[in-house]
Amino acid sequence: GFLQVASPVPQGPNKWHEQFPIAKGQRQSPIDIVTSNAKVDKALSDNPLKVSYSNNCCQSVTNTGASFQVVVDGAGTEISGGPLDSTYKLVQFHAHWGPLGGDEGSEHTVDGVTYPAELHLVHWNQKYKDVGEAVDKPDGLAVIGVFFSRGKEHAGFKPISDLFAKVPRKADKVDISFNYDPACLLPARRDYWTYLGSLTTPPLFESVTWIVMKDPVEVSAEQLAALRNLLWETPSGEGQMCNNYRPPQPLQGRLVRST
Ligand SMILES: CCOC(=O)CCc1ccc(S(N)(=O)=O)cc1
Ligand SMILES: [Zn+2]
């Protein structure tokens, strides 16, 4: 029979530049947000970020082998305003997190402070015909980042975190049969930092307008632990998915604006 070649265990962030030279590019993400260097831009408040998600847009949760991913049918699920020059549609959301019980795990950091996890709501620019066309364009994507802090249970995240045990392995998928509005995952206060960056995982395209919410949302230790029901390939075989975050990258002189 054919030589059985095991799928190579994905290489860590420090090796990505070998296959994706853009890893050393001029607008890579995530970054450390130095709050004293962020520039308040009145234009951001004059044209507030508008988030209008529908509550029946979430179709399924899948284990991508690198995170969970809630796949969204973008119908009627759009954001606009703030730093965005056009309307963007939600296509999926996922997260990045650290080790059990640790405080690292977020991708963006704030004055060097990490959070245990970071949620990413991924949207594509409606000027393009589909997300595949948008994904590598400089204005192709807008990702809203929400920090998760450890505290009381997040009722809105529970229907999703309860599904992780049903998708332990890569490509496992479970349908979302209930109505769910992803806006429940946003903090009450809608202040944010925004800057031009990239995908934080390969192919690392420099196509993302980042909108990082200033306030974290609280989730319980149990909900953070539920993220580890997701499994992935490690050098020593299958293990709990964790530490799937890229560390901060050079700012390269970019401006971070603030509401
Ligand atoms: C060509 C296929 O490329 C994709 O599908 C991009 C997927 C992708 C979307 C968002 C992000 S993140 N962590 O920056 O929010 C990373 C990778
Ligand atoms: Zn992400």
Side-chain angles (χ1 to χ4, degrees), residues 147-163:
F147 294 121
F148 279 180
S149 64
R150 189 180 284 104
K152 63 184 190 306
E153 180 177 88
H154 192 301
F157 188 52
K158 189 163 185 338
I160 301 297
S161 57
D162 283 350
L163 294 179

Side-chain angles (χ1 to χ4, degrees), residues 2-81:
F2 287 96
L3 171 73
Q4 290 303 319
V5 180
S7 66
V9 173
Q11 299 200 317
N14 298 336
K15 295 251 183 177
W16 287 346
H17 68 94
E18 292 170 8
Q19 199 179 346
F20 304 96
I22 203 166
K24 294 181 181 289
Q26 296 304 304
R27 59 174 276 191
Q28 288 291 293
S29 292
I31 60 169
D32 176 43
I33 296 167
V34 179
T35 56
S36 57
N37 292 344
K39 186 169 169 37
V40 173
D41 183 348
K42 207 170 80 58
L44 295 173
S45 311
D46 288 352
N47 175 18
L49 179 68
K50 185 171 180 296
V51 178
S52 50
Y53 291 156
S54 60
N55 76 348
N56 63 349
C57 61
C58 299
Q59 294 181 313
S60 61
V61 186
T62 184
N63 177 330
T64 66
S67 183
F68 73 85
Q69 190 168 109
V70 175
V71 174
V72 168
D73 161 21
T77 302
E78 300 177 340
I79 61 171
S80 60

Side-chain angles (χ1 to χ4, degrees), residues 92 94 96 107 120 122 135 143 198-203 205 208 210:
Q92 54 108 330
H94 63 273
H96 305 263
E107 298 208 300
H120 289 159
V122 183
V135 75
V143 182
S198 75
L199 302 176
T200 65
T201 63
F205 293 142
V208 181
W210 276 97

